[in-house]
Amino acid sequence: MSKTEQFLTPAQEKRIVDAIRVAEKATSGEIRVHLEKTSKLDPIDRAKEVFHLLKMDLTELHNGVLIYVAVEDRNFVIYGDQGINDVVPSDFWETTKDIILAHFKKGDFTQGLIDGILLAGKQLQEHFPWDHTDTNELSDEISKG
């Protein structure tokens, strides 16, 4: 079993997916988590590539957010689509990144992802509030590469 498969237990994955569903109830934004063993690319470049591969760039309002984790590289990136980047300050994700990093440093990857997802949902709600016409455009499941 690879480190990516061992990174989270099925129960931990379920808690993270549940957090995504809770976060998305308050926003039209879409949040995904992608895990992979390692990347030969710069983490930001790889996050952009995964964002496209997961078709996150095809959401109606371009308000998808990817939390990309390269497990063995010990790197993660929060990558937001153009619709978000057009309306938020350049340091918009710093608080979310800091919360995730604080948990990751303690080895609590599950809580780091959960807290990051919930905070991202709150931040997205400010600019992309949920309304009755919103649909869940992307899977909430964790993807792995």
Side-chain angles (χ1 to χ4, degrees):
M1 193 178 299
S2 75
K3 283 191 178 186
T4 304
E5 293 168 351
Q6 295 174 349
F7 186 66
L8 300 169
T9 67
Q12 291 169 324
E13 285 189 20
K14 182 185 179 318
R15 289 179 54 213
I16 292 166
V17 170
D18 289 346
I20 291 170
R21 291 180 178 145
V22 167
E24 288 183 355
K25 282 184 180 179
T27 179
S28 64
E30 296 285 338
I31 301 170
R32 297 278 325 253
V33 173
H34 181 82
L35 307 175
E36 60 187 21
K37 179 179 174 180
T38 187
S39 173
K40 291 178 173 61
L41 299 175
D42 172 81
I44 294 172
D45 292 337
R46 180 61 182 150
K48 289 178 189 178
E49 188 175 80
V50 168
F51 193 89
H52 177 71
L53 291 171
L54 294 175
K55 300 187 183 328
M56 294 185 71
D57 52 345
L58 300 179
T59 61
E60 183 179 353
L61 298 175
H62 298 284
N63 58 355
V65 176
L66 175 65
I67 300 175
Y68 166 82
V69 181
V71 176
E72 287 186 10
D73 298 342
R74 301 176 58 92
N75 282 321
F76 75 95
V77 172
I78 303 170
Y79 184 79
D81 203 352
Q82 192 61 43
I84 297 166
N85 294 336
D86 285 347
V87 298
V88 301
S90 60
D91 64 347
F92 186 69
W93 297 115
E94 289 303 308
T95 305
T96 306
K97 180 188 71 112
D98 292 345
I99 284 176
I100 294 172
L101 185 59
H103 285 293
F104 278 19
K105 283 182 177 180
K106 295 185 284 185
D108 194 349
F109 305 109
T110 303
Q111 198 60 52
L113 289 169
I114 289 170
D115 287 357
I117 289 162
L118 295 175
L119 181 56
K122 285 181 185 174
Q123 291 171 308
L124 285 170
Q125 183 181 10
E126 292 177 30
H127 299 280
F128 300 97
W130 181 89
D131 74 36
H132 70 284
T133 64
D134 288 330
T135 60
N136 192 6
E137 297 178 76
L138 300 171
S139 170
D140 297 331
E141 298 301 315
I142 296 170
S143 61
K144 297 176 183 171

